[in-house]
Short mmCIF file of all heavy atoms in Angstrom, two decimals:
data_model
loop_
_atom_site.label_atom_id
_atom_site.label_comp_id
_atom_site.label_asym_id
_atom_site.label_seq_id
_atom_site.Cartn_x
_atom_site.Cartn_y
_atom_site.Cartn_z
N ALA A 1047 -6.50 -10.58 8.03
CA ALA A 1047 -5.63 -11.45 8.83
C ALA A 1047 -4.16 -11.20 8.49
O ALA A 1047 -3.33 -11.05 9.39
CB ALA A 1047 -6.00 -12.91 8.58
N ARG A 1048 -3.83 -11.14 7.21
CA ARG A 1048 -2.44 -10.95 6.80
C ARG A 1048 -1.90 -9.62 7.27
O ARG A 1048 -0.74 -9.50 7.68
CB ARG A 1048 -2.31 -11.07 5.29
CG ARG A 1048 -2.05 -12.48 4.84
CD ARG A 1048 -1.71 -12.52 3.36
NE ARG A 1048 -2.88 -12.34 2.55
CZ ARG A 1048 -3.61 -13.34 2.07
NH1 ARG A 1048 -3.27 -14.58 2.33
NH2 ARG A 1048 -4.67 -13.11 1.35
N SER A 1049 -2.74 -8.59 7.19
CA SER A 1049 -2.30 -7.28 7.63
C SER A 1049 -2.04 -7.27 9.13
O SER A 1049 -1.09 -6.67 9.59
CB SER A 1049 -3.35 -6.23 7.25
OG SER A 1049 -2.95 -4.98 7.71
N ALA A 1050 -2.91 -7.92 9.89
CA ALA A 1050 -2.73 -7.97 11.34
C ALA A 1050 -1.40 -8.65 11.68
O ALA A 1050 -0.66 -8.22 12.56
CB ALA A 1050 -3.89 -8.70 11.99
N ILE A 1051 -1.08 -9.73 10.96
CA ILE A 1051 0.18 -10.44 11.19
C ILE A 1051 1.35 -9.52 10.87
O ILE A 1051 2.36 -9.52 11.57
CB ILE A 1051 0.22 -11.74 10.35
CG1 ILE A 1051 -0.76 -12.76 10.95
CG2 ILE A 1051 1.64 -12.32 10.31
CD1 ILE A 1051 -0.94 -14.02 10.12
N LYS A 1052 1.22 -8.73 9.82
CA LYS A 1052 2.30 -7.81 9.48
C LYS A 1052 2.49 -6.75 10.57
O LYS A 1052 3.59 -6.39 10.92
CB LYS A 1052 2.01 -7.12 8.14
CG LYS A 1052 3.24 -6.46 7.52
CD LYS A 1052 2.88 -5.49 6.41
CE LYS A 1052 2.58 -4.14 6.99
NZ LYS A 1052 2.25 -3.13 5.97
N MET A 1053 1.36 -6.26 11.12
CA MET A 1053 1.42 -5.14 12.04
C MET A 1053 1.73 -5.55 13.48
O MET A 1053 2.38 -4.80 14.21
CB MET A 1053 0.07 -4.40 12.06
CG MET A 1053 -0.37 -3.88 10.70
SD MET A 1053 0.61 -2.49 10.11
CE MET A 1053 -0.21 -1.14 10.97
N SER A 1054 1.25 -6.70 13.91
CA SER A 1054 1.35 -7.04 15.33
C SER A 1054 2.80 -7.35 15.74
O SER A 1054 3.52 -8.00 15.01
CB SER A 1054 0.49 -8.27 15.64
OG SER A 1054 0.65 -8.64 16.99
N GLN A 1055 3.17 -6.85 16.89
CA GLN A 1055 4.50 -7.19 17.42
C GLN A 1055 4.41 -8.33 18.43
O GLN A 1055 5.28 -9.19 18.46
CB GLN A 1055 5.11 -5.95 18.11
CG GLN A 1055 5.42 -4.80 17.16
CD GLN A 1055 6.38 -5.17 16.03
OE1 GLN A 1055 7.38 -5.82 16.25
NE2 GLN A 1055 6.06 -4.77 14.79
N ASN A 1056 3.33 -8.36 19.22
CA ASN A 1056 3.26 -9.41 20.26
C ASN A 1056 2.41 -10.60 19.85
O ASN A 1056 2.26 -11.56 20.60
CB ASN A 1056 2.76 -8.82 21.60
CG ASN A 1056 1.30 -8.36 21.55
OD1 ASN A 1056 0.60 -8.58 20.55
ND2 ASN A 1056 0.83 -7.74 22.62
N MET A 1057 1.87 -10.56 18.64
CA MET A 1057 1.05 -11.66 18.08
C MET A 1057 -0.14 -12.01 19.00
O MET A 1057 -0.57 -13.14 19.06
CB MET A 1057 1.90 -12.89 17.76
CG MET A 1057 2.90 -12.64 16.62
SD MET A 1057 2.08 -12.29 15.01
CE MET A 1057 3.44 -11.64 14.03
N ARG A 1058 -0.66 -10.97 19.67
CA ARG A 1058 -1.97 -11.11 20.34
C ARG A 1058 -2.94 -10.22 19.58
O ARG A 1058 -2.81 -9.00 19.64
CB ARG A 1058 -1.89 -10.68 21.79
CG ARG A 1058 -1.04 -11.62 22.61
CD ARG A 1058 -1.04 -11.18 24.06
NE ARG A 1058 -0.28 -12.12 24.84
CZ ARG A 1058 -0.47 -12.32 26.13
NH1 ARG A 1058 -1.40 -11.65 26.78
NH2 ARG A 1058 0.27 -13.18 26.80
N ILE A 1059 -3.86 -10.85 18.89
CA ILE A 1059 -4.69 -10.12 17.92
C ILE A 1059 -6.15 -10.22 18.31
O ILE A 1059 -6.65 -11.31 18.62
CB ILE A 1059 -4.42 -10.66 16.50
CG1 ILE A 1059 -2.95 -10.37 16.10
CG2 ILE A 1059 -5.40 -10.08 15.50
CD1 ILE A 1059 -2.50 -11.00 14.81
N GLY A 1060 -6.85 -9.10 18.33
CA GLY A 1060 -8.28 -9.09 18.58
C GLY A 1060 -9.07 -9.03 17.28
O GLY A 1060 -8.59 -8.49 16.28
N VAL A 1061 -10.26 -9.63 17.29
CA VAL A 1061 -11.15 -9.57 16.12
C VAL A 1061 -12.55 -9.28 16.61
O VAL A 1061 -13.05 -9.91 17.55
CB VAL A 1061 -11.19 -10.94 15.38
CG1 VAL A 1061 -12.10 -10.84 14.16
CG2 VAL A 1061 -9.81 -11.40 14.98
N ILE A 1062 -13.19 -8.28 16.00
CA ILE A 1062 -14.61 -8.05 16.28
C ILE A 1062 -15.40 -8.16 14.99
O ILE A 1062 -14.88 -7.89 13.90
CB ILE A 1062 -14.86 -6.67 16.96
CG1 ILE A 1062 -14.24 -5.51 16.13
CG2 ILE A 1062 -14.27 -6.66 18.37
CD1 ILE A 1062 -14.54 -4.13 16.71
N GLY A 1063 -16.66 -8.62 15.11
CA GLY A 1063 -17.47 -8.83 13.91
C GLY A 1063 -18.91 -9.17 14.29
O GLY A 1063 -19.29 -9.07 15.47
N THR A 1064 -19.69 -9.56 13.30
CA THR A 1064 -21.08 -9.97 13.58
C THR A 1064 -21.07 -11.34 14.24
O THR A 1064 -20.04 -12.03 14.27
CB THR A 1064 -21.90 -10.10 12.27
OG1 THR A 1064 -21.34 -11.17 11.49
CG2 THR A 1064 -21.86 -8.82 11.47
N GLU A 1065 -22.21 -11.76 14.75
CA GLU A 1065 -22.27 -13.07 15.39
C GLU A 1065 -21.94 -14.20 14.42
O GLU A 1065 -21.24 -15.14 14.76
CB GLU A 1065 -23.65 -13.27 16.04
CG GLU A 1065 -23.72 -12.50 17.34
CD GLU A 1065 -25.11 -12.48 17.98
OE1 GLU A 1065 -26.10 -12.39 17.24
OE2 GLU A 1065 -25.17 -12.52 19.21
N GLY A 1066 -22.43 -14.07 13.17
CA GLY A 1066 -22.14 -15.10 12.16
C GLY A 1066 -20.65 -15.25 11.92
O GLY A 1066 -20.11 -16.36 11.93
N THR A 1067 -19.98 -14.12 11.71
CA THR A 1067 -18.55 -14.15 11.41
C THR A 1067 -17.76 -14.70 12.59
O THR A 1067 -16.86 -15.54 12.42
CB THR A 1067 -18.04 -12.72 11.07
OG1 THR A 1067 -18.80 -12.24 9.97
CG2 THR A 1067 -16.58 -12.72 10.70
N ILE A 1068 -18.09 -14.23 13.79
CA ILE A 1068 -17.33 -14.67 14.98
C ILE A 1068 -17.55 -16.17 15.23
O ILE A 1068 -16.61 -16.90 15.48
CB ILE A 1068 -17.71 -13.82 16.22
CG1 ILE A 1068 -17.32 -12.35 16.00
CG2 ILE A 1068 -17.05 -14.36 17.48
CD1 ILE A 1068 -15.85 -12.10 15.69
N GLN A 1069 -18.83 -16.62 15.10
CA GLN A 1069 -19.12 -18.05 15.30
C GLN A 1069 -18.42 -18.93 14.27
O GLN A 1069 -18.06 -20.05 14.57
CB GLN A 1069 -20.63 -18.29 15.25
CG GLN A 1069 -21.29 -18.07 16.60
CD GLN A 1069 -22.82 -18.04 16.49
OE1 GLN A 1069 -23.38 -18.58 15.56
NE2 GLN A 1069 -23.47 -17.39 17.45
N SER A 1070 -18.24 -18.41 13.05
CA SER A 1070 -17.59 -19.21 12.01
C SER A 1070 -16.11 -19.48 12.31
O SER A 1070 -15.52 -20.38 11.75
CB SER A 1070 -17.68 -18.49 10.65
OG SER A 1070 -16.72 -17.43 10.59
N LYS A 1071 -15.55 -18.68 13.22
CA LYS A 1071 -14.11 -18.81 13.57
C LYS A 1071 -13.19 -18.62 12.35
O LYS A 1071 -12.05 -19.10 12.34
CB LYS A 1071 -13.80 -20.15 14.25
CG LYS A 1071 -14.41 -20.28 15.65
CD LYS A 1071 -13.63 -19.45 16.65
CE LYS A 1071 -14.34 -19.34 18.01
NZ LYS A 1071 -13.77 -18.26 18.84
#
Side-chain angles (χ1 to χ4, degrees):
Chain A
R1048 271 189 284 267
S1049 178
I1051 289 173
K1052 197 196 86 179
M1053 303 289 277
S1054 177
Q1055 294 302 316
N1056 68 6
M1057 294 296 166
R1058 292 183 177 205
I1059 295 172
V1061 181
I1062 54 176
T1064 65
E1065 282 172 323
T1067 303
I1068 297 302
Q1069 275 169 23
S1070 77
K1071 291 286 169 194

